[in-house]
mmCIF file of all heavy atoms in Angstrom:
data_model
loop_
_atom_site.group_PDB
_atom_site.id
_atom_site.type_symbol
_atom_site.label_atom_id
_atom_site.label_comp_id
_atom_site.label_asym_id
_atom_site.label_seq_id
_atom_site.Cartn_x
_atom_site.Cartn_y
_atom_site.Cartn_z
ATOM 1 N N MET A 76 229.995 17.294 161.175
ATOM 2 C CA MET A 76 228.575 17.294 161.534
ATOM 3 C C MET A 76 228.093 18.697 161.922
ATOM 4 O O MET A 76 226.978 19.085 161.580
ATOM 5 C CB MET A 76 228.297 16.304 162.669
ATOM 6 C CG MET A 76 228.432 14.861 162.253
ATOM 7 S SD MET A 76 227.428 14.400 160.812
ATOM 8 C CE MET A 76 225.785 14.804 161.387
ATOM 9 N N ASN A 77 228.924 19.466 162.621
ATOM 10 C CA ASN A 77 228.541 20.828 162.982
ATOM 11 C C ASN A 77 228.358 21.693 161.739
ATOM 12 O O ASN A 77 227.398 22.462 161.646
ATOM 13 C CB ASN A 77 229.592 21.453 163.915
ATOM 14 C CG ASN A 77 229.579 20.839 165.296
ATOM 15 O OD1 ASN A 77 228.610 20.219 165.712
ATOM 16 N ND2 ASN A 77 230.685 21.002 166.010
ATOM 17 N N GLU A 78 229.250 21.555 160.783
ATOM 18 C CA GLU A 78 229.142 22.317 159.534
ATOM 19 C C GLU A 78 227.921 21.875 158.726
ATOM 20 O O GLU A 78 227.225 22.712 158.132
ATOM 21 C CB GLU A 78 230.417 22.171 158.714
ATOM 22 C CG GLU A 78 231.601 22.879 159.338
ATOM 23 C CD GLU A 78 232.925 22.586 158.646
ATOM 24 O OE1 GLU A 78 232.956 21.776 157.686
ATOM 25 O OE2 GLU A 78 233.932 23.167 159.078
ATOM 26 N N LEU A 79 227.647 20.583 158.715
ATOM 27 C CA LEU A 79 226.472 20.067 158.005
ATOM 28 C C LEU A 79 225.194 20.612 158.641
ATOM 29 O O LEU A 79 224.286 21.077 157.946
ATOM 30 C CB LEU A 79 226.475 18.537 158.033
ATOM 31 C CG LEU A 79 225.383 17.823 157.252
ATOM 32 C CD1 LEU A 79 225.507 18.105 155.755
ATOM 33 C CD2 LEU A 79 225.443 16.324 157.511
ATOM 34 N N GLU A 80 225.141 20.596 159.966
ATOM 35 C CA GLU A 80 223.970 21.111 160.678
ATOM 36 C C GLU A 80 223.783 22.597 160.401
ATOM 37 O O GLU A 80 222.669 23.044 160.120
ATOM 38 C CB GLU A 80 224.123 20.862 162.187
ATOM 39 C CG GLU A 80 222.859 21.114 162.999
ATOM 40 C CD GLU A 80 222.644 22.557 163.395
ATOM 41 O OE1 GLU A 80 223.619 23.335 163.445
ATOM 42 O OE2 GLU A 80 221.491 22.938 163.650
ATOM 43 N N GLN A 81 224.845 23.362 160.410
ATOM 44 C CA GLN A 81 224.757 24.797 160.136
ATOM 45 C C GLN A 81 224.271 25.064 158.719
ATOM 46 O O GLN A 81 223.458 25.964 158.492
ATOM 47 C CB GLN A 81 226.104 25.474 160.368
ATOM 48 C CG GLN A 81 226.495 25.546 161.821
ATOM 49 C CD GLN A 81 227.916 26.044 162.015
ATOM 50 O OE1 GLN A 81 228.627 26.336 161.062
ATOM 51 N NE2 GLN A 81 228.349 26.116 163.269
ATOM 52 N N ALA A 82 224.752 24.278 157.773
ATOM 53 C CA ALA A 82 224.356 24.464 156.371
ATOM 54 C C ALA A 82 222.860 24.231 156.189
ATOM 55 O O ALA A 82 222.183 24.998 155.499
ATOM 56 C CB ALA A 82 225.161 23.533 155.464
ATOM 57 N N PHE A 83 222.332 23.194 156.825
ATOM 58 C CA PHE A 83 220.908 22.901 156.671
ATOM 59 C C PHE A 83 220.045 23.796 157.554
ATOM 60 O O PHE A 83 218.936 24.154 157.176
ATOM 61 C CB PHE A 83 220.627 21.416 156.920
ATOM 62 C CG PHE A 83 220.896 20.572 155.702
ATOM 63 C CD1 PHE A 83 222.171 20.104 155.434
ATOM 64 C CD2 PHE A 83 219.888 20.263 154.810
ATOM 65 C CE1 PHE A 83 222.436 19.356 154.301
ATOM 66 C CE2 PHE A 83 220.130 19.506 153.674
ATOM 67 C CZ PHE A 83 221.409 19.050 153.412
ATOM 68 N N ALA A 84 220.538 24.175 158.723
ATOM 69 C CA ALA A 84 219.768 25.052 159.615
ATOM 70 C C ALA A 84 219.619 26.450 159.023
ATOM 71 O O ALA A 84 218.643 27.153 159.325
ATOM 72 C CB ALA A 84 220.434 25.127 160.978
ATOM 73 N N SER A 85 220.549 26.860 158.168
ATOM 74 C CA SER A 85 220.485 28.202 157.587
ATOM 75 C C SER A 85 219.557 28.292 156.378
ATOM 76 O O SER A 85 219.312 29.388 155.871
ATOM 77 C CB SER A 85 221.888 28.659 157.182
ATOM 78 O OG SER A 85 222.360 27.910 156.074
ATOM 79 N N LEU A 86 219.026 27.167 155.930
ATOM 80 C CA LEU A 86 218.126 27.188 154.767
ATOM 81 C C LEU A 86 216.816 27.888 155.094
ATOM 82 O O LEU A 86 216.238 27.689 156.156
ATOM 83 C CB LEU A 86 217.822 25.762 154.290
ATOM 84 C CG LEU A 86 218.976 24.983 153.675
ATOM 85 C CD1 LEU A 86 218.508 23.584 153.294
ATOM 86 C CD2 LEU A 86 219.530 25.701 152.463
ATOM 87 N N ASP A 87 216.363 28.678 154.161
ATOM 88 C CA ASP A 87 215.063 29.331 154.286
ATOM 89 C C ASP A 87 214.071 28.508 153.460
ATOM 90 O O ASP A 87 213.679 28.888 152.364
ATOM 91 C CB ASP A 87 215.148 30.775 153.778
ATOM 92 C CG ASP A 87 213.854 31.529 153.992
ATOM 93 O OD1 ASP A 87 213.071 31.154 154.890
ATOM 94 O OD2 ASP A 87 213.613 32.504 153.241
ATOM 95 N N GLU A 88 213.702 27.369 154.009
ATOM 96 C CA GLU A 88 212.850 26.403 153.310
ATOM 97 C C GLU A 88 211.397 26.634 153.680
ATOM 98 O O GLU A 88 211.049 26.684 154.855
ATOM 99 C CB GLU A 88 213.278 24.984 153.672
ATOM 100 C CG GLU A 88 212.469 23.888 153.015
ATOM 101 C CD GLU A 88 212.555 23.908 151.495
ATOM 102 O OE1 GLU A 88 213.639 24.120 150.948
ATOM 103 O OE2 GLU A 88 211.507 23.722 150.867
#
Side-chain angles (χ1 to χ4, degrees):
M76 290 306 302
N77 289 340
E78 290 172 357
L79 185 64
E80 191 276 337
Q81 290 172 0
F83 277 85
S85 70
L86 292 178
D87 185 24
E88 180 61 42

